Amino acid sequence: MTDTNDTRHYAPTRRDYVKYGGALATGGLLAGCADDDATTAGETTAEPTDGTDTTTAADSSYSVTMAPVGEVEFDAVPERVLPYYPISAGATIALGHGDAITGIGYDKQLFGNTVDYYYDALDGVSFEWEELGRVTPSGEPGTLDTELFYELDNDVHFLDPCLLRSSSFGWSEADIEAIATDVGPWFGNYYSRTNASPPACEGDYEYYGLWEYIGKLAEVLRERERYEALKSVRDDLAATIEDRLPPAEERPSLAIVAYSGGTFWPYDFTQDGYLWNHVRPFGATNAFTTTEGGPGSDGAYDYEGMVEAEPDVVLRYWGTALGDTFIEGREAVLNDPLAEEVPAFRDGRYYPSGHGMQGPVMNLFQLEMTAKQLYPDQFGAWPGYGDGKRYPSVPEDERLFDRERVTNVITGDFE
């Protein structure tokens, strides 16, 4: 269980450390975790709690608790933030703190294009990512630029220390503690994406639903009201989807794939975790369930495998960020001699899909997008990929959520 007595006072950041020349002490960074009973909690109903908020008129400090980092105390709302993944970047922007972002992770262009694709569809909201730092060096996805963490001097790092300790990055506990002590704390829960067991952390690990996790980030940024306003939009959208879904026997079989050069790599979108929050509500059957290779992403399929799977709809995972690459790939897929034997390709139902590391705005658009791609008769037809740079224009009477309402929340007009 998470040790709620393990409170860390992280906001003297490195700036104060340098100013006062003192050593900032922290305990063991990775607090314990919670029971397995929590693995599916909060997918649609969770809200940020007050945690152990200690704010008073004379003391602006507050604390937020989340596995695996335990209880983290802040002396003030973070003014410099490293989100790393689109989920935390999107949440930071949507919660009104986009100007606090100093850097992002992995492929900078794909990252920026992923978030831009949705935010550019909202008037008056943007994500200026081009000049941000990138803590994953280009061409070296398994490394992090340690010095850049010091140069960016963030008040909080939205990254999971269990991920840092895994073979993906190979950091030691000492490496992690040094950044937390000298710069700012870690605050992330990476493995809730698929509810997988962290390979580098001992004991159990608590999992959060997508909006529960976003709520934790909202607590850090002291944006409970904004969070609740955004979540109300999501709850309304979820209710609309539930009300209009056709009976189970009328739902299509679906394949979600990565694709390159005639090879399709499947994803199991029926697994637990927030990665498939934008697909799970639609109750579609995984087309690969009955094939020899199975539904997971460990295998690969050629066109003969796709003929065997017979998907009614095929979605290209992360296709929304690929622009011309997706457009050209789609043309090649649909023009293959075997395309006529695959129902989805024969009917032209091969669409770009989103990315599972989704912040609140991405989630709203991706739910709407998936609804239209899978059920055009119930939700209106998907208008097409357009220029591949932004979410396509949807007629106002066919939109499944209110864009202006979302924009107003982000810009602060939500009372």
Side-chain angles (χ1 to χ4, degrees), residues 183-375:
V183 188
W186 306 100
F187 194 90
N189 182 294
Y190 174 79
Y191 293 95
S192 285
R193 62 193 290 275
T194 58
N195 287 13
S197 298
C201 290
E202 297 179 359
D204 296 328
Y205 187 95
E206 184 173 355
Y207 301 104
Y208 301 93
L210 177 65
W211 282 83
E212 186 177 19
Y213 185 29
I214 292 170
K216 292 292 186 179
L217 303 180
E219 288 184 59
V220 172
L221 298 173
R222 306 290 284 162
E223 292 290 351
R224 180 186 179 94
E225 289 187 47
R226 261 200 180 96
Y227 166 83
E228 290 179 339
L230 286 169
K231 190 173 180 299
S232 71
V233 179
R234 197 272 177 186
D235 289 346
D236 289 346
L237 175 54
T240 297
I241 291 169
E242 184 176 0
D243 288 345
R244 297 189 197 176
L245 276 183
E249 62 272 15
E250 298 178 16
R251 298 173 190 175
S253 64
L254 171 64
I256 298 182
V257 301
Y259 169 80
S260 180
T263 300
F264 302 86
W265 289 269
Y267 290 91
D268 184 5
F269 57 86
T270 64
Q271 66 184 340
D272 292 332
Y274 66 68
L275 196 68
W276 303 109
N277 185 284
H278 62 299
V279 179
R280 193 178 295 113
F282 298 100
T285 301
N286 190 326
F288 294 109
T289 300
T290 60
T291 60
E292 183 177 346
S297 57
D298 293 337
Y301 291 84
D302 55 15
Y303 276 91
E304 285 79 6
M306 296 297 287
V307 172
E308 179 188 356
E310 294 187 300
D312 295 312
V313 181
V314 177
L315 301 182
R316 174 37 165 119
Y317 187 68
W318 211 0
T320 51
L322 297 179
D324 291 341
T325 299
F326 172 78
I327 294 171
E328 294 166 4
R330 183 177 190 273
E331 184 177 356
V333 167
L334 298 185
N335 288 335
D336 188 271
L338 288 177
E340 283 294 312
E341 299 184 41
V342 181
F345 298 156
R346 182 176 61 244
D347 298 335
R349 300 189 73 184
Y350 176 40
Y351 305 118
S353 188
H355 193 278
M357 300 291 278
Q358 55 198 300
V361 171
M362 288 176 63
N363 183 238
L364 294 172
F365 277 110
Q366 290 181 168
L367 283 167
E368 179 184 78
M369 175 171 60
T370 307
K372 292 178 175 296
Q373 292 169 342
L374 295 183
Y375 303 108

Side-chain angles (χ1 to χ4, degrees), residues 116-121 320 364-370 372 382-385 387-394 401 403:
D116 274 352
Y117 187 78
Y118 306 99
Y119 275 91
D120 282 353
T320 51
L364 294 172
F365 277 110
Q366 290 181 168
L367 283 167
E368 179 184 78
M369 175 171 60
T370 307
K372 292 178 175 296
W382 170 245
Y385 195 44
D387 62 6
K389 295 180 179 179
R390 69 166 63 193
Y391 192 87
S393 178
V394 175
F401 69 93
R403 273 64 160 167

